[in-house]
Amino acid sequence: MKRGPALLIALVTSLLFAVFFLYPAGMVVKQAFVRPADGAFTFDFIGSVFGNPIYREGLWNAFILGAVSTMATLLIAFPLALIGHRYDFRFKNALGVLVLAPMILPPFVGAVGVKQMLGVDGALNALLMKLGWMAADAPYDWLANGRFTGIVLMNALHLYPILYMNIAAALSNLDPAMEQAAENLGCSPFRRFWKITLPLAMPGVFAGASVVFIWAFTELGVPLVFDFARVAPVQIYDGIKGLDKNPIPYALTAILLVVAALVFAFSKLVMGRSPLGTAPRPKGRMNVEKVGGVKGLLCASVFAAVFIVASIPHLGVLLLSVAETWYGSVIPEHLTMRHYHEALGNGLVVPSIQNSLMYASCATLLALVIGLGVAWVVVRSDLKGRGFLDTMVMMPLAVPGLVMAFGYLALSQEGKAFHFLVGEGGSPFFLLVIAYGIRRLPYIVRSAVAGLQQSNIMLEQAAASLGANPFRTLRRVSIPLIGANLAAGSILAFAFAMLEVSDSLILAQQAQHYPITKAIYTLLSTLGNGTELAAALGVWSMAFLSVAIIGAAVLGGKRGGLFKV
Amino acid sequence: MESIRVETVVKQFGGVRALDGVSVEIAPGELFFLLGASGCGKTTLLRCIAGLEIPTSGSIHFGERDVTKLPPHKREAAMVFQSYALWPHLTVGQNVAFGLEERKVPKAEIRIRVAEALDMVKLSGFGDRSIDQMSGGQQQRVSLARALVVKPKCLLLDEPLSNLDAQLRVEMRREIRRIVKENGLTAIYVTHDQEEALAMADRMAVLSNGKIGQLGTPEEIYRTPRSAYVANFIGETNLIEGEVQEFRSGFATVQTGGGPMVGRVSDPNWHPTAGEKVTLSIRPEAWRLGTAQDNHLTGKIVERTYLGQRIQYWIETAIGRQQVVELNPHVIHEPGETPVIVQSRHDDVVVLKA
């Protein structure tokens, strides 16, 4: 009985993936190797990418940006996760939510804020000059190195929550008895960290780091805002216009995909070797040390410091949105709400909010339905190949958004397979919903899988023994029990869909269909007060997303307490 | 009320054969126990009957109906889980009402039947409580009410009392038996607690290694075990090896290292011949400290445990230590006392195949 629906879900999901994930990704790769004229297989395009010093530099820069951003992210995230794991201090819960702040701001909008705050004529230099710590005629360029530092800073400040949550989850899944046993055998806290905690947490570190690397490696929005064109994603974006004649963007995209897949495979390999991969939930009591006084203050201040630094972009955007003019001063000299009024009248702003809400909610719904089905097959059925299904739905994490967006764009051209998905007046509705949905699916699947694994299967068997068929059991028992997990996963998926850059920038071509991110990007390059209008729109989306994230955190926090089984 | 027939059921998990050709027939209205050490297959058999596992081969019938491949929700076999499996997102009353709602019983009737069911388990008025406000014993009764309220064809209980403290356990034994009998339910009850089985069962099956070792009433199984495994698992026993000298009308004279002993042959179809190796099973309470008659051994008290109502001795004899239990002891012997003689009636010595 179980096998029928399980097989159906697995087949439908696989089909969807084949059509909307493997096909577009494969298409991009194919275009990189096939001569359009005669359809012959060729390495010429790949060869000419590596033969061209500009593209070589672009790829190298992307790689270095990815690597350095990942290291910087790790430096922020690991201490946070470890302190949170070991100690209980005042305001810990509130601070734990606050350090997730970066997730409410699209990184390229944050980049605008960072430029305002840390640029040569930015707020920090103005402050230092005012204090007399810096000569007025010799301002320091904090974001120097051809904008490289700025991009790394923005990437790190945006991406550390992903790593932080991964490491925190890995640490909280450790059986506390492991650490307690080490302690009991006379291991000092410092040695315990190196010999027990760190090795056991490595799978979480690698899982998070690989996602962060792929993200930073293929980041498009931030380099665009920093006018840093010598990086592969921007080179691809710039190449879109002449796509039918120029196969180089395809070749570049294919190379990004291969590197991303290798990194992901490597991290999987590291995780696969660890015995922790399938560890059951911890049974023992956590040994969280309650700290007060100086030590507690120290713990809290680490979190607070991270939050403050991470808020620099937000603050910049917020101040920019209320500034009459802001140039070379600590805070804007004249504050105004003018930009907000004007934004409401702007033809881009209000439709973009409506569009984004619609795209993101439909995409979340799509991901929720598929994700719940997949999670159920993976955890509750005995279908052969369910492990493969699980791996498959996680693959979107390994494939850069840019690659997918590019594949969709190519396939939605006149006469191509996905052209039917382009709505009236070139509406990208279906394309964006599917693209957002598939790329956010991993978040839903992971949270639903975790929920199902943690809820006792006997609760479902009891329903069956009382006459509830599998669908009724799912509706009346399973879904209510893992509701918090599903809500948390959905809100994350929704937030990331609202913030999505690559698909939005590339697939939305007409102004009336722009999602928020593309509207902001367009406003940024508009003369007059475009930047300020973009900032105002950015503030609105921040407010919106913070409500969503806090909701997720509250629901996620309840999980343990409310539904203890 | 319905009979349950299990026919040569085999359940294979990978390389492990959890059930190895089990056949048993349970009469309508019978309270039947499945008993055995952990890993013997008792829970697997119960789950096969509930439909939570599908047998690799063999068949299961409820009455005349073959239910072997029927999914659990169509079997009308309500189960009480060891962990209770109460849904934390529903109240006590909602938990109990669940099965009735699935059966599309009218709302008014549901209200009445839930109240009746809660009354039956002595939880009237607790309907609006949430599950985590209930104690372990109360939760156990909620799960019982939840299963009973649907008037199942059969009631399946998987170690329902194992999470309760000793006193509550004894109380609940009587309660469950009363409820099962009052409702005329066919019930299958899994436990590893032999005392629970002896106290409650109409009949029971002792499983070992996926096979039924012995099937019978509690009295039959305790007094006439067919194997050393069953004798050891149900109650405690002293096992003595020997060789048959003579067999006559159900009794055999057996030569042991401590002299000849006469015992009752457990299997009426078995006629041991002279020279056959056998094992004797003598319950600790069947040994009496006394004088030398037939069926006796001589030894020395090496250990004593005082348990209030009874006293337990370990006596070292020529053929190993014997456990002896005296109820309401008149004289309390001291360790080291020697020689002491233990003696047993012919009826109380059971002759088993070696």
Side-chain angles (χ1 to χ4, degrees):
Chain A
M1 185 61 203
K2 261 189 171 180
R3 218 160 266 187
L7 194 63
L8 186 72
I9 292 170
L11 285 178
V12 170
T13 313
S14 306
L15 190 71
L16 276 174
F17 256 75
V19 174
F20 292 112
F21 181 74
L22 297 178
Y23 179 46
M27 219 280 313
V28 171
V29 175
K30 193 185 126 203
Q31 298 285 333
F33 292 100
V34 173
R35 226 193 317 265
D38 54 0
F41 181 85
T42 175
F43 275 113
D44 287 358
F45 308 141
I46 302 290
S48 54
V49 165
F50 284 110
N52 186 330
I54 294 176
Y55 294 132
R56 267 210 311 268
E57 194 199 356
L59 282 171
W60 178 246
N61 280 341
F63 187 82
I64 292 298
L65 273 176
V68 177
S69 302
T70 308
M71 293 306 288
T73 308
L74 196 61
L75 284 179
I76 304 174
F78 206 100
L80 278 190
L82 195 66
I83 291 172
H85 173 64
R86 280 256 174 100
Y87 303 111
D88 192 8
F89 46 89
R90 271 173 74 102
F91 308 121
K92 179 176 168 182
N93 290 338
L95 287 167
V97 175
L98 285 181
V99 294
L100 300 182
M103 295 173 61
I104 62 171
L105 188 64
F108 75 95
V109 184
V112 177
V114 166
K115 280 207 300 195
Q116 284 294 331
M117 300 293 281
L118 305 182
V120 177
D121 300 311
L124 180 64
N125 280 356
L127 179 70
L128 292 176
M129 287 171 195
K130 209 169 179 180
L131 293 171
W133 292 352
M134 185 187 275
D137 51 352
Y140 186 73
D141 186 3
W142 300 95
L143 306 172
N145 273 339
R147 304 288 177 200
F148 199 88
T149 321
I151 299 173
V152 168
L153 180 74
M154 196 53 231
N155 278 343
L157 287 184
H158 178 62
L159 295 173
Y160 78 81
I162 295 178
L163 201 51
Y164 164 67
M165 287 193 288
N166 262 289
I167 299 173
L171 289 175
S172 72
N173 282 335
L174 285 187
D175 187 344
M178 306 256 172
E179 290 194 333
Q180 284 159 5
E183 229 175 342
N184 174 262
L185 292 169
C187 196
S188 73
F190 185 73
R191 287 173 56 80
R192 192 174 85 208
F193 170 75
W194 286 109
K195 294 182 74 173
I196 309 290
T197 316
L198 188 62
L200 289 175
M202 271 335 253
V205 175
F206 270 94
S210 61
V211 172
V212 166
F213 175 83
I214 291 165
W215 194 313
F217 175 56
T218 61
E219 172 64 45
L220 172 62
V222 176
L224 270 181
V225 170
F226 277 107
D227 296 324
F228 187 62
R230 295 189 318 243
V231 60
V234 177
Q235 291 169 340
I236 294 171
Y237 182 70
D238 288 342
I240 288 180
K241 302 268 148 49
L243 198 56
D244 28 352
K245 290 167 216 90
N246 181 10
I248 292 297
Y250 286 118
L252 272 173
T253 314
I255 294 168
L256 292 192
L257 178 60
V258 168
V259 174
L262 284 178
V263 167
F264 196 68
F266 174 73
S267 83
K268 274 269 172 202
L269 198 73
V270 173
M271 278 188 275
R273 265 200 309 229
S274 156
L276 210 75
T278 53
R281 286 190 77 209
K283 297 280 192 304
R285 277 183 61 83
M286 297 295 280
N287 43 351
V288 178
E289 190 188 332
K290 240 188 150 60
V291 288
V294 178
K295 216 170 163 190
L297 207 65
L298 215 62
C299 291
S301 55
V302 171
F303 273 73
V306 169
F307 168 65
I308 288 167
V309 173
S311 311
I312 291 176
H314 302 62
L315 196 62
V317 172
L318 185 68
L319 287 174
L320 191 59
S321 74
V322 293
E324 193 68 56
T325 49
W326 187 19
Y327 186 82
S329 62
V330 181
I331 56 165
E333 272 149 25
H334 301 285
L335 300 183
T336 172
M337 291 306 282
R338 181 164 68 90
H339 307 305
Y340 286 91
H341 290 296
E342 258 178 62
L344 284 176
N346 186 292
L348 279 179
V349 173
V350 175
S352 78
I353 295 177
Q354 287 168 344
N355 288 338
S356 266
L357 282 177
M358 201 163 65
Y359 300 152
S361 4
C362 291
T364 306
L365 202 66
L366 178 74
L368 189 60
V369 171
I370 301 176
L372 183 61
V374 169
W376 181 76
V377 171
V378 168
V379 182
R380 291 292 193 244
S381 81
D382 53 0
L383 192 74
K384 283 204 176 63
R386 59 186 190 280
F388 173 77
L389 185 70
D390 192 18
T391 313
M392 184 180 75
V393 297
M394 295 311 285
M395 281 193 316
L397 285 182
V399 176
L402 199 54
V403 175
M404 295 310 299
F406 217 63
Y408 277 65
L409 178 69
L411 282 171
S412 62
Q413 303 299 320
E414 191 81 47
K416 290 288 171 63
F418 289 179
H419 187 62
F420 74 98
L421 288 173
V422 179
E424 236 168 272
S427 159
F429 176 80
F430 289 108
L431 287 174
L432 281 179
V433 165
I434 294 170
Y436 287 174
I438 290 207
R439 288 199 39 222
R440 308 303 169 231
L441 190 57
Y443 302 102
I444 307 241
V445 171
R446 281 281 69 82
S447 53
V449 162
L452 283 177
Q453 277 171 343
Q454 288 167 12
S455 84
N456 190 342
I457 188 169
M458 288 192 184
L459 293 172
E460 287 159 39
Q461 291 174 343
S465 93
L466 290 172
N469 69 38
F471 294 105
R472 299 271 305 161
T473 304
L474 190 68
R475 197 172 79 66
R476 296 197 63 191
V477 176
S478 320
I479 291 179
L481 283 175
I482 64 168
N485 299 66
L486 288 180
S490 307
I491 291 171
L492 273 187
F494 178 79
F496 281 135
M498 294 280 286
L499 294 182
E500 151 51 71
V501 176
S502 316
D503 292 322
S504 313
L505 254 51
I506 291 176
L507 292 177
Q509 304 285 359
Q510 277 86 23
Q512 74 267 31
H513 301 129
Y514 282 180
I516 290 178
T517 41
K518 178 123 191 187
I520 293 177
Y521 182 68
T522 310
L523 285 172
L524 282 178
S525 48
T526 310
L527 291 175
N529 65 346
T531 311
E532 284 81 4
L533 292 186
L537 184 50
V539 170
W540 275 330
S541 70
M542 268 197 269
F544 207 81
L545 283 171
S546 44
V547 172
I549 303 269
I550 289 169
V554 168
L555 285 171
K558 273 186 182 171
R559 206 166 27 197
L562 248 190
F563 300 131
K564 221 176 276 165
V565 181
Chain B
M1 206 193 295
E2 213 163 24
S3 69
I4 297 168
R5 203 167 79 244
V6 175
E7 257 170 43
T8 54
V9 162
V10 172
K11 178 68 191 179
Q12 191 92 26
F13 290 113
V16 182
R17 187 163 275 217
L19 292 175
D20 192 5
V22 172
S23 295
V24 61
E25 188 156 1
I26 296 153
E30 190 173 23
L31 176 49
F32 190 87
F33 268 65
L34 292 173
L35 198 69
S38 66
C40 71
K42 57 189 190 298
T43 295
T44 306
L45 180 56
L46 190 77
R47 290 171 63 84
C48 283
I49 295 169
L52 299 172
E53 308 283 356
I54 305 294
T56 310
S57 68
S59 66
I60 296 168
H61 294 259
F62 287 3
E64 289 310 304
R65 203 158 56 120
D66 184 346
V67 299
T68 315
K69 297 243 159 62
L70 206 63
H73 65 276
K74 292 188 179 153
R75 291 201 184 190
E76 298 176 57
M79 183 145 164
V80 176
F81 290 80
Q82 181 174 9
S83 60
Y84 314 142
L86 297 173
W87 301 299
H89 63 299
L90 303 178
T91 63
V92 168
Q94 286 167 336
N95 264 278
V96 177
F98 185 96
L100 296 174
E101 286 162 10
E102 288 304 318
R103 284 165 174 72
K104 311 246 179 328
V105 174
K107 281 219 164 64
E109 191 187 334
I110 289 180
R111 214 169 316 121
I112 297 166
R113 281 173 66 178
V114 168
E116 281 172 0
L118 287 176
D119 192 43
M120 183 158 47
V121 297
K122 300 185 175 142
L123 286 175
S124 297
F126 284 78
D128 292 330
R129 294 273 186 103
S130 77
I131 294 302
D132 54 13
Q133 286 175 299
M134 308 294 274
S135 72
Q138 288 172 325
Q139 289 190 11
Q140 200 283 326
R141 282 182 285 166
V142 175
S143 82
L144 193 60
R146 185 177 71 178
L148 289 169
V149 75
V150 298
K151 304 204 171 108
K153 289 236 162 72
C154 66
L155 180 65
L156 307 174
L157 304 111
D158 184 11
E159 309 210 20
L161 304 182
S162 62
N163 291 334
L164 302 183
D165 64 60
Q167 203 174 351
L168 198 56
R169 208 149 54 203
V170 173
E171 219 172 278
M172 285 306 297
R173 281 181 197 163
R174 281 206 301 274
E175 279 292 287
I176 291 179
R177 188 171 164 90
R178 169 184 70 83
I179 290 167
V180 166
K181 288 297 163 190
E182 271 177 13
N183 289 276
L185 292 167
T186 308
I188 304 179
Y189 190 122
V190 162
T191 185
H192 64 262
D193 181 340
Q194 38 115 354
E195 213 178 279
E196 207 165 282
L198 290 171
M200 295 172 71
D202 291 330
R203 278 195 312 149
M204 59 206 240
V206 181
L207 272 78
S208 83
N209 294 325
K211 289 191 172 123
I212 290 186
Q214 193 172 349
L215 199 128
T217 63
E219 191 184 312
E220 278 164 9
I221 287 187
Y222 188 80
R223 297 181 56 137
T224 317
R226 293 277 172 84
S227 67
Y229 174 80
V230 173
N232 239 333
F233 190 78
I234 306 294
E236 285 178 278
T237 198
N238 298 295
L239 295 174
I240 298 168
E241 280 165 22
E243 199 180 293
V244 174
Q245 285 183 322
E246 193 188 9
F247 173 71
R248 200 182 326 137
S249 56
F251 286 84
T253 308
V254 175
Q255 185 60 45
T256 72
M261 296 184 82
V262 180
R264 180 163 51 91
V265 174
S266 66
D267 186 346
N269 302 318
W270 176 42
H271 304 287
T273 50
E276 199 171 334
K277 300 269 188 227
V278 294
T279 302
L280 302 179
S281 161
I282 304 165
R283 300 283 183 196
E285 69 274 15
W287 280 131
R288 272 170 305 174
L289 290 163
T291 49
Q293 297 171 358
D294 59 358
N295 277 6
H296 78 270
L297 295 171
T298 308
K300 168 187 169 185
I301 296 177
V302 288
E303 208 182 306
R304 182 191 72 188
T305 312
Y306 180 71
L307 293 161
Q309 40 151 249
R310 65 202 151 100
I311 191 160
Q312 192 178 35
Y313 297 108
W314 287 97
I315 295 174
E316 191 71 62
T317 69
I319 49 171
R321 284 188 181 196
Q322 300 295 310
Q323 192 192 154
V324 178
V325 162
E326 273 196 321
L327 249 184
N328 189 18
H330 180 57
V331 184
I332 294 177
H333 299 275
E334 293 300 321
E337 198 173 307
T338 185
V340 286
I341 294 169
V342 287
Q343 189 268 334
S344 157
R345 293 195 305 246
H346 296 177
D347 250 357
D348 289 341
V349 177
V350 180
V351 182
L352 305 167
K353 285 179 190 168

